[in-house]
Amino acid sequence: MEAQTEATTEVRKPISAAPLLAVENLSKRFGTQPLWQNVSFTLQKGESLSICGVSGSGKSTLLLAIGGLETVQSGTVTFDGRPVVGGQRAHVEGIGYVFQHYHLIEELTVRENLLLPFSIRFGSKQMPDIWDEVLDLLGLREFLDRLPTTLSGGEQQRAALARAILAKPKLLLADEPTGSLDEATGTCVMELLLRVCQRFCMSLILVTHSAMFAARTDRRMLLKDGFLREQTA
Ligand SMILES: Nc1ncnc2c1ncn2[C@@H]1O[C@H](COP(=O)(O)OP(=O)(O)OP(=O)(O)O)[C@@H](O)[C@H]1O
Ligand SMILES: [Mg+2]
C-alpha cells in the first residue's frame, strides 16, 4: 500500500515589516484656511496608490508635503525609517518626482537632463546601472542629444520619467503625469510608468483625475472636503 503522506500545517508568521511610507495625522492650512487635516496612511514597498480629488482639494500640496518640499502645521511623514522634514529645497533621497509639466531644463540636452539628479547624488563619473534598460523601456535613445523643446509632450514626459527613476528611488510621486497629454499618449505614458514601477519594485503615489488610471493602482484614495479617505469599491 502506498505510504500516506501526513498533512502538514504550514505556520505562517505575520508580516511585520515596517511600511516604506507612514503618513500620520498630517494637517495643512494656508493662512487660516485649512486645506486638509489628519491625513494618515501607510504604503508598503512596491505598493501603488492613487489620489483623486477635485481641482484645489490639495492633492499637489499633499504630494509636496510627502516629498519634504512643503511644510505642514502638524503630523509626521516617515519614509524608509527616517522622518521627512517639510519645507526642504530638495526632496528626500529615495523619492522620485514626476510632474504634469515635465520640468525639464530647456538649455540642457535630454541626456544631460536625465543624468542631472543622478550625478548630483552619485557624482558625474558614474553612470546609472539601469541606464540602458531605462532608455530601451522608455524609447529614449533617439532623443538623447536633442533639447527638450524639440520633443513632443509625450516624449518629454517619458524623459521626465526616466530622469526620476535613474537613481532607483524606492518611491515615485507622480502628480498628474498625463494631465498635459492627449488620451492616447497619456495612456501610453501611464502604461510605461506602471511597467517601470513594477520592473524596479518602486512604490507609487499617483495623483490623477482619471478613474481609469486610478483603477490600475493597488489602492485608491479620495481627497474631499479636507479629508483623505480610502475607496473600497
Ligand atoms: N503657496 C500657497 N499659498 C497659498 N495657497 C496655496 C499655495 N499653494 C496652494 N495653495 C492653494 O491650496 C489649494 C490646493 O492647491 P493644490 O495645488 O494642492 O490643489 P490640487 O488638488 O493639486 O489642484 P489641481 O487638481 O488643480 O492640480 C488651492 O486653492 C491653492 O490655491
Ligand atoms: Mg495639482
Side-chain angles (χ1 to χ4, degrees):
M1 203 175 103
E2 213 174 294
Q4 293 274 316
T5 46
E6 222 173 275
T8 54
T9 314
E10 195 186 344
V11 180
R12 286 180 191 269
K13 286 187 184 158
I15 300 165
S16 59
L20 179 68
L21 177 77
V23 177
E24 288 176 275
N25 289 316
L26 221 54
S27 296
K28 174 73 185 176
R29 60 181 148 73
F30 287 115
T32 55
Q33 190 66 32
L35 184 57
W36 29 255
Q37 42 200 312
N38 296 324
V39 168
S40 297
F41 67 92
T42 59
L43 191 71
Q44 301 295 330
K45 189 170 187 291
E47 199 174 25
S48 61
L49 180 155
S50 53
I51 298 176
C52 292
V54 295
S55 182
S57 56
K59 306 178 298 295
S60 295
T61 310
L62 177 58
L63 223 52
L64 290 171
I66 291 168
L69 293 165
E70 180 67 72
T71 55
V72 290
Q73 271 70 42
S74 57
T76 58
V77 177
T78 309
F79 171 70
D80 209 12
R82 290 188 299 273
V84 172
V85 180
Q88 299 178 110
R89 292 188 57 181
H91 59 79
V92 174
E93 199 173 285
I95 298 182
Y97 242 112
V98 187
F99 303 91
Q100 176 176 353
H101 298 294
Y102 332 129
H103 293 315
L104 296 166
I105 299 170
E106 287 186 7
E107 295 76 19
L108 300 182
T109 65
V110 169
R111 183 196 309 274
E112 289 163 342
N113 265 284
L114 260 53
L115 288 172
L116 189 65
F118 182 88
S119 56
I120 288 170
R121 191 165 160 207
F122 297 106
S124 55
K125 292 206 173 89
Q126 207 177 321
M127 283 298 281
D129 58 1
I130 56 172
W131 174 251
D132 285 314
E133 189 175 355
V134 167
L135 290 186
D136 290 338
L137 261 174
L138 297 175
L140 287 169
R141 271 188 204 285
E142 60 184 295
F143 306 115
L144 285 178
D145 295 318
R146 285 171 47 182
L147 291 174
T149 45
T150 70
L151 269 55
S152 74
E155 290 158 358
Q156 288 189 59
Q157 192 57 300
R158 274 150 51 200
L161 176 56
R163 179 184 57 179
I165 63 169
L166 280 169
K168 289 198 278 192
K170 292 180 179 173
L171 172 63
L172 191 65
L173 303 177
D175 192 355
E176 295 189 51
T178 60
S180 300
L181 305 173
D182 65 74
E183 199 180 325
T185 312
T187 303
C188 173
V189 166
M190 188 59 68
E191 293 296 342
L192 287 170
L193 187 146
L194 294 169
R195 194 184 308 166
V196 156
C197 286
Q198 207 167 28
R199 168 66 188 91
F200 300 110
C201 200
M202 285 186 289
S203 302
L204 168 70
I205 300 181
L206 171 69
V207 166
T208 179
H209 284 287
S210 160
M212 188 177 78
F213 294 149
R216 300 286 304 277
T217 56
D218 299 326
R219 288 161 58 201
R220 286 155 294 284
M221 292 185 132
L222 177 67
L223 188 53
K224 190 178 175 199
D225 301 330
F227 294 97
L228 185 72
R229 292 197 180 86
E230 189 127 12
Q231 306 287 97
T232 45

